Amino acid sequence: MKALLVLVLVFTYGSVSLVNKWGEELIDGIADVPFTIIITDQKNMIIWMGIHQKEQGGVFHTLNIGDSLEGAFDRWSSKRKNMVCASKGSEKYILLWKKCFYNEEQAKAYMFGPGEEYFELEARVKELDTANHELDAIIESSYDGIYITDKYGNTLKTNSAIERITGIPKHYYLGKNIAHLIKRGILQESVTQHVIEQKRTVSLVQKNYNNKETLMTGSPIFDEKGEIDKIVTNIRDLTELNQLNEELQKAMLLNKEYEKEISRLKSISSLEPDIIIESEKMRDLYQMTQRMARFDTSILILGETGVGKDILARYIYRTSSRFEKGQFVKINCGAIPKELIESELFGYEGGAFSGANRTGKAGLFELAHKGILFLDEIGELPLSVQVKLLRAVQDKEILRVGGTKTKKVDVRIVSATNRNLKEMVRKGEFREDLYYRLSVVPVCIPPLRERKDDILPLVYFLLNAYNQKYYLSKKLDQKLHDFLLHYEWPGNVRELSNLMERMLLTVPKDILGMDDLPDDYKSFCKLADEPSLDLSLKEIAEQAEKKALEKALVHYGTTYEIARKLKTSQATIVRKLQKYKLTE
């Protein structure tokens, strides 16, 4: 009992002499305590051990006085003051030691205990340390801010992302209560407090101290009793997301516009298959018109009869932004009686005049809302209607015949004429203010005789179209090709189309030639012949002059018109006709 008391004193109070007034009796007593006790010198060399302790087996069976205690084990690890973990194979021990005196010299007294549970605990601690390190790394690497508090709202942990979002160093938050952060103005509202009160996940959006819009989502962590232990809050910067979303929306809208533009450009040829242009003049004109079609302004198309003003107007509609919004509505101002033109354009109310529909009728302006109204032969529009048209173009509103309330309309005006509107304005036949409203962008289509490169492509197109329409397979010989190319076509494309259809239907042959031309064209066949070299220069000039007069007589009704076209006086024309005996 005395030996056990001394041993307790040694391991409780430190260095105590093991050799005292009880002498060897004390050492023999230590050997009887229920622990393995070994005494070493300062270098851990064994200087004493109980004899019967060798009988315990294992590592103790091989130990002898003078052996190195540390060298007897595979692993010898000092954990903290006065404690060693040691193992030999599968045997694991915990050694507690204290300084002592043995034979009046400093020594160490080691008390052995089983170490399996400690080694398992140590392994689990390592696993927990690794898991905590990984968790810390995950939290720190999150792009969103992570904010962890206890159940009272005291800040336990946060990550570096919160510095980017709030502009405040993360160490400032540690240890501070949410109420303090609200008081300082760093937070407007506490999602943590909502989670504590509601005991569920809560989200809210607010602007933070750095004036950034953030989405804060707080989630509770419950203990084994079902009570809130901690609150984890995820903070997402919505400012960046909103900016990205806005940029995405802009990119999507722009992409849609590109798709529409590509679709529009691809569909031009298929929507208008009768647009046949090869000459540089017409290519430039259509390219310019395509650019103008994108701008919502009025266009005035000028040109002789039959040059294709209607086709160009439809091309403007097809290539404009109004193609998908509204209709293309056409009216020939010269084909409708003056008494009806106003009601056709602007509509009328029920009972506006005798014979009028009881419920009224919408005019072409209303039908063309969001689209294009094509006013063909605008030069034929009566002056009385021009005033009302000016108001519709200028103010974007109309008044039905018999109506009292105006109506807003969104209509783009494209007009066309073969007349000289400037001359009409000078003579007072056309309103000057309306002229300038309609001709913001004037476009003049050149006559077919001034764009020879378009003639043969048009001939082939028409020949193929009429062959398909009437199930024919006719062709043209070379001389007829040459004639069609050199003929001046005063009626332009319309005249060419008329001649091609007429010849294909009336001539029974499969190959059409010069002999198959109608009689009114045969008088011009000689124009394609080269002048004979046997004639004098004067005779050649007179021959050409005669042919020109013959041609002019076919297309112009009076000597005044011929004189204006050939840029000479009417008296000269009369004299020349008499000279060549071309008068009746």
Side-chain angles (χ1 to χ4, degrees), residues 380-414:
E380 308 302 324
L381 194 68
L383 279 169
S384 58
V385 182
Q386 291 180 25
V387 178
K388 202 166 184 179
L389 176 60
L390 176 64
R391 179 181 180 183
V393 175
Q394 184 172 284
D395 300 334
K396 300 290 184 180
E397 62 181 21
I398 61 169
L399 179 65
R400 285 186 175 185
V401 175
T404 57
K405 293 183 179 180
T406 59
K407 184 176 183 179
K408 288 288 184 180
V409 288
D410 179 12
V411 176
R412 183 180 183 181
I413 301 296
V414 176

Side-chain angles (χ1 to χ4, degrees), residues 378-584:
I378 188 66
E380 308 302 324
L381 194 68
L383 279 169
S384 58
V385 182
Q386 291 180 25
V387 178
K388 202 166 184 179
L389 176 60
L390 176 64
R391 179 181 180 183
V393 175
Q394 184 172 284
D395 300 334
K396 300 290 184 180
E397 62 181 21
I398 61 169
L399 179 65
R400 285 186 175 185
V401 175
T404 57
K405 293 183 179 180
T406 59
K407 184 176 183 179
K408 288 288 184 180
V409 288
D410 179 12
V411 176
R412 183 180 183 181
I413 301 296
V414 176
S415 50
T417 183
N418 61 353
R419 302 183 63 179
N420 188 338
L421 290 186
K422 283 189 176 181
E423 183 65 19
M424 293 180 66
V425 169
R426 189 184 66 81
K427 293 179 178 180
E429 298 173 354
F430 200 87
R431 292 184 63 94
E432 184 176 21
D433 46 7
L434 178 60
Y435 169 75
Y436 287 114
R437 285 288 181 181
L438 297 178
S439 64
V440 176
V441 179
V443 178
C444 184
I445 303 178
L448 192 55
R449 62 183 173 274
E450 294 181 8
R451 45 188 175 104
K452 295 288 187 179
D453 292 342
D454 291 332
I455 294 178
L456 289 183
L458 283 168
V459 168
Y460 300 142
F461 170 77
L462 294 169
L463 180 65
N464 182 62
Y466 291 132
N467 271 330
Q468 290 183 2
K469 180 178 180 181
Y470 298 115
Y471 302 99
L472 301 172
S473 58
K474 296 189 176 183
K475 299 179 181 180
L476 309 180
D477 67 14
Q478 187 59 47
K479 287 187 177 181
L480 184 56
H481 273 96
D482 295 340
F483 169 78
L484 296 175
L485 178 62
H486 292 95
Y487 185 65
E488 293 198 2
W489 303 107
N492 294 291
V493 180
R494 187 177 294 128
E495 181 184 1
L496 175 60
S497 176
N498 174 272
L499 178 62
M500 294 299 299
E501 185 175 14
R502 179 179 174 185
M503 291 182 67
L504 262 67
L505 294 177
T506 59
V507 178
K509 298 187 302 184
D510 288 336
I511 298 179
L512 308 180
M514 295 290 289
D515 295 337
D516 302 314
L517 283 169
D519 292 339
D520 50 344
Y521 286 91
K522 287 181 179 179
S523 60
F524 295 93
C525 292
K526 295 180 181 179
L527 292 175
D529 297 335
E530 294 182 0
S532 174
L533 296 178
D534 296 332
L535 300 176
S536 66
L537 184 61
K538 180 180 179 182
E539 289 173 331
I540 294 174
E542 288 177 346
Q543 186 180 76
E545 190 174 59
K546 180 180 179 181
K547 291 179 179 179
L549 290 171
E550 288 175 341
K551 182 179 178 182
L553 281 173
V554 174
H555 296 288
Y556 304 104
T558 66
T559 55
Y560 289 99
E561 292 180 356
I562 296 173
R564 184 171 62 253
K565 185 62 180 176
L566 298 180
K567 298 180 180 180
T568 186
S569 66
Q570 188 265 348
T572 300
I573 295 298
V574 172
R575 180 166 49 82
K576 294 289 185 181
L577 291 175
Q578 291 174 348
K579 174 182 177 181
Y580 298 117
K581 298 179 181 181
L582 296 176
T583 56
E584 295 181 357

Side-chain angles (χ1 to χ4, degrees), residues 1-8 25-31 33:
M1 184 65 184
K2 290 185 289 182
L4 181 61
L5 176 61
V6 173
L7 184 65
V8 171
E25 182 183 356
L26 176 61
I27 296 298
D28 293 337
I30 293 176
V33 299

